[in-house]
Amino acid sequence: MRWKSKFISRLNSQFKIGVVACALALGLTSCSRTAPEEEDTDEGYPLVGEVTAVDVASRTLEVAHEDIPGFMPAMTMKFLVSHGDVQNAVAGQKIRARLIRDEEGAFELIKIWPVDEDAAKDLKAYNLRLQNQTKALPSGRYYGEGDDAPDFGLLDQFGNALTSERLKGKPFILNFIFTRCPDPNMCPLSTSKMAQLQTRAAEKGYQVNFVSITLDPEFDTPGVLRQYAEAYGIDGENFFFATGSENAVRNLVASYGVTSIEKVDTIMHSLATALVDADGSIVKRSEKSAWTVDEFLEALVAKQAD
Ligand SMILES: [Cu+2]
């Protein structure tokens, strides 16, 4: 119950009752009452608005928000946000978020996503291809060495589109993580090794990108991922942390043969680390948590000349 209970305890009692009742009704699965693209997680109030000012020092966004039915009429006001979110915010940008009250009663926005209909349409086209590619896989099969890597359309830790197309022209190393992973031998270790790999590859002057896909897109927004990357001292120039629609992530996870099962307090998951060449085919793949920086550096050097 570690992380979920922490968030539930931040809500007012009215919300607590709603969450409990919903959990009982659905047998502990999460509640989704709306379309998959805009799943309502019942945490705080849904807010849609436009950022009108950004103050990084006080971690504050001024937002002209729409009416929040049953809670607050449309108005322009200031909200506390995370360090990652305030850095990603730009005046004039449209966002959707969840509005909560923090311990002191201050208004805070969490789960902030950029709203851009044209960009979303573009990403959807990639994810439709991903869905068809995933569906076409025979049962028990996943993409491995020699296969073309599946398409995807996600957002990076800065809130920019990260598509399979954008990655073409350079090899990339891809893995799966989630920021709240409590097992030091799983995601934290994978991220540390990916960071080492990035440093070692840069020292050798290799042209390569790194992509870590979250297994927990509901919590891991671009801002959360940005903060996570910074905590590991990762250079965001060629290391992208990707998140997006639940459906796209689920398909991508399945197409790479990763198991990811959501539990009450964590996500049980397996690992996959893959090297995709500049043309988009998978040239190396490891399922083990014991993969080494050296083995991927070696595989990478073979892909530098061509
Ligand atoms: Cu993990």
Side-chain angles (χ1 to χ4, degrees):
M1 288 299 273
R2 274 185 305 271
W3 42 261
K4 271 191 183 155
S5 57
K6 188 176 132 217
F7 274 92
I8 289 168
S9 69
R10 292 162 80 171
L11 307 175
N12 60 40
S13 57
Q14 193 189 343
F15 254 95
K16 259 185 218 164
I17 293 161
V19 170
V20 171
C22 201
L24 286 176
L26 293 177
L28 288 180
T29 53
S30 65
C31 321
S32 50
R33 300 172 308 188
T34 47
E37 282 300 310
E38 18 180 357
E39 220 166 65
D40 198 323
T41 59
D42 285 346
E43 189 178 318
Y45 296 86
L47 173 143
V48 176
E50 190 183 308
V51 176
T52 47
V54 179
D55 183 23
V56 176
S58 65
R59 285 202 285 114
T60 307
L61 296 187
E62 186 190 81
V63 180
H65 70 76
E66 295 174 5
D67 183 35
I68 303 166
F71 186 61
M72 196 189 278
M75 66 177 79
T76 299
M77 59 183 280
K78 286 182 175 158
F79 295 97
L80 277 174
V81 297
S82 74
H83 178 65
D85 285 324
V86 80
Q87 287 178 288
N88 275 352
V90 182
Q93 178 185 46
K94 219 180 153 195
I95 56 165
R96 69 182 162 85
R98 304 295 299 192
L99 167 54
I100 60 167
R101 309 288 295 268
D102 70 8
E103 290 85 349
E104 281 93 51
F107 293 105
E108 188 176 340
L109 295 183
I110 59 168
K111 298 190 173 175
I112 301 178
W113 291 89
V115 174
D116 180 339
E117 272 154 35
D118 290 338
K121 223 185 247 174
D122 203 41
L123 296 182
K124 237 180 191 163
Y126 282 98
N127 293 330
L128 200 59
R129 284 208 292 282
L130 168 64
Q131 184 160 306
N132 292 334
Q133 288 159 350
T134 310
K135 269 193 194 148
L137 282 168
S139 144
R141 267 271 295 149
Y142 54 80
Y143 288 103
E145 289 172 13
D147 291 325
D148 283 343
D151 286 308
F152 65 84
L154 297 170
L155 295 178
D156 66 20
Q157 71 269 39
F158 309 107
N160 299 323
L162 182 73
T163 64
S164 37
E165 192 59 37
R166 184 178 153 199
L167 292 164
K168 289 240 169 92
K170 267 186 202 176
F172 65 92
I173 293 170
L174 172 141
N175 75 345
F176 296 87
I177 54 104
F178 70 107
T179 64
R180 293 184 291 182
C181 184
D183 183 346
N185 292 317
M186 294 287 280
C187 304
L189 180 62
S190 300
T191 302
S192 299
K193 286 197 286 185
M194 288 281 274
Q196 283 172 45
L197 199 46
Q198 182 189 33
T199 306
R200 298 270 303 276
E203 282 164 7
K204 290 180 182 294
Y206 294 168
Q207 293 295 308
V208 55
N209 286 312
F210 298 87
V211 181
S212 288
I213 314 276
T214 181
L215 297 164
D216 185 16
E218 206 244 308
F219 181 84
D220 286 345
T221 59
V224 167
L225 291 172
R226 180 170 182 159
Q227 210 162 314
Y228 179 78
E230 280 179 10
Y232 279 86
I234 285 166
D235 177 1
E237 191 65 37
N238 66 334
F239 195 151
F240 307 108
F241 285 84
T243 186
S245 83
E246 199 77 49
N247 202 39
V249 168
R250 215 177 300 124
N251 282 322
L252 198 53
V253 164
S255 70
Y256 272 98
V258 171
T259 320
S260 176
I261 304 158
E262 212 170 310
K263 300 279 181 183
V264 178
D265 59 345
T266 189
I267 296 172
M268 301 280 291
H269 67 99
S270 61
L271 299 169
T273 309
L275 169 60
V276 178
D277 71 11
D279 302 322
S281 52
I282 301 171
V283 289
K284 181 181 168 58
R285 199 194 132 95
S286 172
E287 275 79 49
K288 287 175 261 164
S289 63
W291 64 270
T292 67
V293 171
D294 284 329
E295 74 177 288
F296 272 89
L297 267 182
E298 241 164 69
L300 202 52
V301 71
K303 291 285 139 199
Q304 288 301 302
D306 43 80

